Amino acid sequence: MFLTITTTGTPERPATDLGFLLHKHPDKAQAFSTSYGRAHVLYPEADDQRCTAALLMEVDAVALVRRGKGKGRGGAPDAALAQYVNDRPYAASSLLAVALSAVFSSAMRGVCHARPELPAQSRPLRVEVPALPARGGPGLVRRLFEPLGWTVTADAVPLDTEFPEWGDSRYVRLELESTRLTVAEALRHLYVLLPVLDDAKHYWVAPDEVDKLLRAGEGWLPEHPEQQLITRRYLSRRWSLTREAMERLELVRLAESDDTEVEDIDNAVEAETESEEKPTPLAVQRREAILTALRAAGAARVLDLGCGQGQLVQALLKDPAFTEIVGVDVSVRALTIASRRLKLDRMGERTAARVKLFQSSLAYTDKRLKGYDAAVLSEVIEHLDLPRLPALEYAVFGAARPRTVLVTTPNVEYNVRWESLPAGHVRHGDHRFEWTREEFRAWASSVAERHGYDVEFVPVGPDDPEVGPPTQMAAFVIRTEKEAKAA
């Protein structure tokens, strides 16, 4: 069982940087014990121009049978000889994927303490797997890898070269090439897709396999066209785990699409103009408007209410002026995704002390929300049924009472500018309503009046003279006791 990763380089960016990325020195041959045998890492070539790392897995057939309790592929009892004589020692499979994770765990996470700038750099990569079981043939191999940015060569291996009429085996010789992926991305692709193509895991699939899949699939699996097949095969067709994984992947997709709900449409509209500048996505403009308003308010301790996947929390963390940042969401799964996005488990102690995530419903009061300088409800209110808005209003403005509250929501009048949005449709499938500027102003003004706030309205995005901006923001500032008496 064999796999190689090759990169090329220049004197400025030598190919031997691969050794730093993989945490394995090119001048050494290293061996690692695994549950099913021994993994070896060696470098057949290593200089500034070209460097190749090889992973060789020696499978202990007896250990494999013992740990599998005498069961063969798919859990069915095999003939006695077939338990020991099979393709496991020779063909890449879930065994090799586990070896990748065990031997290159830091590289898969994108960690390189010696050269911290390297993991984020894309580089020329070539991956070769001489024998890979591919249930679905070369066509499926291409469907899995090509959407991820790989150029794929998958040649079917004949059953017998002396008897071509016998046809092809279910094995392929795989070559992958890319110039725009990082080593960490390449390893995560292989970790997930090798066992998917093999379609026969050698170990018991426990519930934590869902977490492993989502960690390795972060950034690419939610939008992969073969997402369902990948998830189903990776989890050995265990329906309960597959359903859980699909639900969590859909949550990631919705969180990302909601935060960028009109970016693609916005970019398409901007592309029709004569300007050659790439437009700033609306989601980025929205976060910048929120950060500007928070800085102007002098806020240091900030609540992100309905934080979702944590994009705003991540932006707030980059500014040391915000000394305490709390992300709140009703969905535990969304908070889990946010935690992974922020890399809370690998965050430095000083930064970690500034951020906190917890679960809470905005339909109920929560004493943990009291005492903050500012609260942000970014693209949140339109996800609530209208009858539940008064409960949110009281929980935020009546009970928590931060000095400043920022609320953003879509301006439905602007929807006519989105050519790809059918008339009468809201921008996101989960939106319960979208307000006109007049409706939003009426709601915000009544909230401010009932709870002792002043409110100003800020356009976010291009302010169209006819239909206004794509996003509207209300900035609430609590009145002082003196101001309240004067009013």
Side-chain angles (χ1 to χ4, degrees):
M1 191 183 299
F2 193 65
L3 176 149
T4 62
I5 302 174
T6 301
T7 187
T8 55
T10 63
E12 294 76 24
R13 292 183 60 184
T16 48
D17 284 348
L18 184 63
F20 288 101
L21 288 163
L22 297 179
H23 296 255
K24 304 293 180 288
H25 199 287
D27 291 342
K28 298 179 181 179
Q30 301 180 53
F32 306 85
S33 295
T34 74
S35 301
Y36 302 94
R38 198 159 179 80
H40 301 265
V41 178
L42 58 148
Y43 289 78
E45 54 184 346
D47 56 41
D48 289 353
Q49 287 73 42
R50 186 177 173 91
C51 184
T52 297
L55 175 64
L56 172 65
M57 180 70 185
E58 289 184 300
V59 176
D60 184 339
V62 175
L64 184 61
V65 172
R66 286 174 177 170
R67 292 182 65 86
K69 299 180 180 179
K71 299 291 184 180
R73 297 165 66 101
D78 282 344
L81 183 60
Q83 296 181 60
Y84 298 95
V85 182
N86 51 50
D87 67 350
R88 300 294 85 181
Y90 314 108
S93 64
S94 55
L95 288 167
L96 187 59
V98 171
L100 280 171
S101 177
V103 175
F104 299 133
S105 58
S106 295
M108 283 183 64
R109 297 198 310 271
V111 175
C112 181
H113 297 300
R115 298 279 300 280
E117 77 282 1
L118 290 181
Q121 296 176 359
S122 59
R123 57 194 314 115
L125 293 173
R126 179 183 177 90
V127 175
E128 295 183 62
V129 184
L132 172 66
R135 293 178 181 267
L140 179 60
V141 177
R142 286 188 286 271
R143 297 207 312 272
L144 293 181
F145 282 101
E146 285 180 348
L148 301 175
W150 293 102
T151 299
V152 180
T153 302
D155 297 325
V157 177
L159 282 169
D160 194 310
T161 55
E162 295 185 10
F163 300 96
E165 64 273 14
W166 289 4
D168 294 328
S169 69
R170 65 184 182 88
Y171 300 92
V172 300
R173 176 180 176 82
L174 177 65
E175 296 178 1
L176 303 172
E177 291 186 276
S178 176
T179 59
R180 61 185 184 87
L181 294 171
T182 66
V183 169
E185 289 171 331
L187 291 173
R188 290 197 293 267
H189 296 168
L190 293 166
Y191 174 75
V192 173
L193 297 181
L194 290 182
V196 166
L197 285 164
D198 183 30
D199 197 20
K201 284 206 170 182
H202 66 277
Y203 56 86
W204 174 251
V205 177
D208 66 349
E209 289 296 303
V210 176
D211 293 328
K212 294 178 185 177
L213 173 62
L214 267 62
R215 277 197 300 270
E218 182 179 358
W220 62 270
L221 184 54
E223 299 297 335
H224 198 290
E226 297 292 341
Q227 178 201 103
Q228 292 187 7
L229 179 144
I230 292 169
T231 304
R232 185 172 65 251
R233 285 193 177 190
Y234 184 88
L235 297 170
S236 295
R237 293 179 170 82
R238 289 191 61 188
W239 168 240
S240 60
L241 298 183
T242 301
R243 181 175 59 187
E244 179 188 348
M246 293 299 295
E247 289 175 352
R248 291 172 63 177
L249 286 166
E250 179 65 9
L251 182 64
V252 173
R253 190 191 65 79
L254 287 175
E256 291 177 344
S257 65
D258 188 40
D259 193 62
T260 59
E261 56 197 9
V262 293
E263 288 181 28
D264 291 340
I265 307 172
D266 188 27
N267 290 347
V269 172
E270 294 288 343
E272 293 177 0
T273 67
E274 295 182 356
S275 173
E276 294 184 358
E277 286 189 22
K278 185 177 181 180
T280 301
L282 181 58
V284 175
Q285 295 183 57
R286 188 161 50 234
R287 285 194 290 273
E288 289 176 349
I290 290 169
L291 291 170
T292 298
L294 290 172
R295 293 181 185 118
R301 304 175 66 240
V302 180
L303 295 166
D304 181 9
L305 303 178
C307 65
Q309 200 178 355
Q311 290 94 335
L312 179 59
V313 173
Q314 190 175 47
L316 289 165
L317 274 172
K318 294 177 181 178
D319 189 337
F322 302 112
T323 58
E324 184 177 350
I325 304 147
V326 177
V328 181
D329 205 282
V330 70
S331 169
V332 174
R333 287 180 179 175
L335 292 171
T336 300
I337 295 167
S339 176
R340 290 173 183 158
R341 179 187 189 89
L342 298 169
K343 298 180 175 62
L344 289 182
D345 58 337
R346 302 197 293 276
M347 191 175 283
E349 184 177 348
R350 183 175 298 180
T351 304
R354 295 170 54 213
V355 63
K356 182 165 53 177
L357 302 176
F358 65 76
Q359 190 270 345
S360 183
S361 170
L362 300 180
Y364 302 95
T365 59
D366 189 331
K367 63 182 181 181
R368 294 176 296 177
L369 304 182
K370 292 184 178 181
Y372 286 85
D373 300 330
V376 179
L377 291 153
S378 179
E379 311 299 286
V380 170
I381 61 171
E382 63 272 13
H383 290 273
L384 274 69
D385 293 317
L386 283 170
R388 303 189 70 183
L389 271 184
L392 176 144
E393 173 192 331
Y394 178 74
V396 176
F397 295 91
R401 291 190 69 75
R403 284 205 322 263
T404 300
V405 181
L406 303 178
V407 179
T408 74
T409 192
N411 168 23
V412 71
E413 297 171 78
Y414 196 88
N415 287 358
V416 297
R417 295 292 185 255
W418 309 130
E419 293 185 0
S420 60
L421 186 64
H425 283 62
V426 293
R427 299 183 196 176
H428 189 275
D430 191 53
H431 286 184
R432 304 304 200 262
F433 62 87
E434 288 179 357
W435 276 334
T436 65
R437 287 169 291 171
E438 183 179 350
E439 289 170 329
F440 181 55
R441 285 171 179 266
W443 174 80
S445 298
S446 64
V447 169
E449 185 62 30
R450 282 192 293 272
H451 297 284
Y453 282 80
D454 292 319
V455 62
E456 293 183 356
F457 299 93
V458 181
V460 179
D463 197 356
D464 189 287
E466 294 182 10
V467 297
T471 294
Q472 44 193 341
M473 180 167 73
F476 298 83
V477 178
I478 200 167
R479 297 174 188 165
T480 63
E481 189 173 333
K482 182 177 179 181
E483 290 172 333
K485 289 180 179 178

